Amino acid sequence: MAVVYYDKDADLSYLQGVKIAILGYGSQGHAHAQNLRESGLDVVVSDLPGSANWIQAEKDGLEVKTVRDAAAEAGVIMMLLGDSDQPPVFEEEIRPHLTAGKALAVAHGFNILFNQVVPPVDADVFMVAPKSPGHLVRRMYQEGKGVPALIAVHQDHSGQCLQKGLAYAKGLGCTRAGVIATTFQEETETDLFGEQAVLCGGVTALIKASFDTLVEAGYQPEVAYFECLHELKLIVDLIYEGGLEWMRYSVSDVAEYGDLTRGPRIVDEQVRQEMKKILQEVQDGAFAQECITEFRMNRPRFTALRRKEAEHPIEKVGRELRAMMPWLEKKE
Ligand code: NDP
Ligand code: MG
């Protein structure tokens, strides 16, 4: 069973009198900065000078400085830039100020696990990863609640790294909900596998393959779009609220019978074997290496794949149908 920490296990005093730099005032950053401040902690924030988020941070009444200046004066430095922006910013603007006894914090383990950010040995390094987008981290805190989070220690130089991390999680409101102990390796590998096998890769492949099957069989693309993409949200919402059982209880008996008898034929033994291979590539670092190299070479394969995907007929019919849905905000 997982180790779970709650309010009683965390003590804010480990961070009292310590300046906390929140670098990046985006989805996570704006929530971390405001929650920590309202928990009585001392926060300085940063973003790209002159950017909309920099201005927003000032409007929110926070002290805003360059990454360099914020890192220089902070005892805890939380990196909430986008993951691919972190390595160069760390080398140039953070490392010189990550002096002995300070702590570096992250909300995702990729860069540390795959050595894209290598902190000095005399720093503490921890992760507090809320399991929700930033706006919910903020809203739950304001309602006196919190979102669950993961916590992990990569490097404990002070002997108090876990306590500092737990204090940080408490300041965010996460210990109100529960904070699960993990490792950088577990968080990163499961995150990558999840987005590849299910959340992004698996789901989009399933949508396209089912849409193509119907259209090739002569059905109208508009009708195929509704069945294979649009209605997915309804089902995912039910699963999110009450698990597979609640979804199955809510759909018709015919739908449930089709689910139980046909689902295992879609995700068959061959698919499960492929999932194991994909997990292997995550675990042995092959995926991370491929991804890092691709990004360094200015993303040739990535750009080509993006362009090809944008031309899939489901995207065209989708744009036309979504224009008929007045409740949706335009995303194009
Ligand atoms: P966002 O992209 O929302 O925010 C990043 C912010 O950093 C933006 O405001 C960006 O500005 C700014 N920024 C970019 N480059 C620099 C720079 N050189 N100097 C200063 N500021 C800069 O990121 P997220 O909040 O989504 O992600 C932050 C971290 O949190 C990541 O490690 C992510 O994996 C993790 N995480 C994210 C979750 C989520 O739901 N979003 C959930 C849990 C963890 P601009 O927009 O102008 O580029
Ligand atoms: Mg993820």
Side-chain angles (χ1 to χ4, degrees), residues 33-78:
Q34 296 185 78
N35 291 8
L36 293 176
R37 175 178 59 178
E38 283 163 35
S39 294
L41 299 173
D42 187 9
V43 173
V44 56
V45 312
S46 186
D47 204 281
L48 288 169
S51 66
N53 286 339
W54 174 294
I55 293 163
Q56 186 59 46
E58 285 181 338
K59 276 197 197 133
D60 293 334
L62 288 148
E63 186 186 8
V64 193
K65 300 194 169 177
T66 62
V67 167
R68 232 176 264 277
D69 291 347
E73 68 179 51
V76 174
I77 301 168
M78 174 53 110

Side-chain angles (χ1 to χ4, degrees), residues 20-195:
I20 303 169
I22 304 296
L23 308 182
Y25 201 69
S27 171
Q28 289 294 317
H30 87 283
H32 289 223
Q34 296 185 78
N35 291 8
L36 293 176
R37 175 178 59 178
E38 283 163 35
S39 294
L41 299 173
D42 187 9
V43 173
V44 56
V45 312
S46 186
D47 204 281
L48 288 169
S51 66
N53 286 339
W54 174 294
I55 293 163
Q56 186 59 46
E58 285 181 338
K59 276 197 197 133
D60 293 334
L62 288 148
E63 186 186 8
V64 193
K65 300 194 169 177
T66 62
V67 167
R68 232 176 264 277
D69 291 347
E73 68 179 51
V76 174
I77 301 168
M78 174 53 110
M79 270 203 299
L80 294 175
L81 316 173
D83 293 298
S84 55
D85 289 327
Q86 291 178 12
V89 175
F90 176 80
E91 278 316 312
E92 286 153 38
E93 299 171 57
I94 300 174
R95 179 190 289 287
H97 302 293
L98 190 54
T99 47
K102 288 193 179 187
L104 179 71
V106 292
H108 177 36
F110 186 98
N111 285 319
I112 297 282
L113 184 68
F114 295 115
N115 298 316
Q116 299 307 291
V117 166
V118 184
V121 292
D122 54 6
D124 283 347
V125 182
F126 67 81
M127 166 171 58
V128 173
K131 290 284 94 188
S132 96
H135 71 268
L136 197 60
V137 175
R138 180 66 188 139
R139 181 154 68 80
M140 285 298 104
Y141 182 88
Q142 288 173 302
E143 290 178 14
K145 302 168 192 157
V147 304
L150 301 180
I151 190 165
V153 168
H154 171 69
Q155 200 167 281
D156 183 8
H157 182 259
S158 67
Q160 300 186 335
C161 189
L162 179 63
Q163 284 75 12
K164 287 185 201 171
L166 285 171
Y168 189 99
K170 188 175 194 170
L172 283 185
C174 294
T175 47
R176 295 170 181 168
V179 175
I180 299 170
T182 183
T183 60
F184 275 63
Q185 186 181 358
E186 182 178 65
E187 186 271 342
T188 305
E189 291 175 358
T190 54
D191 179 79
L192 291 173
F193 177 77
E195 61 203 21

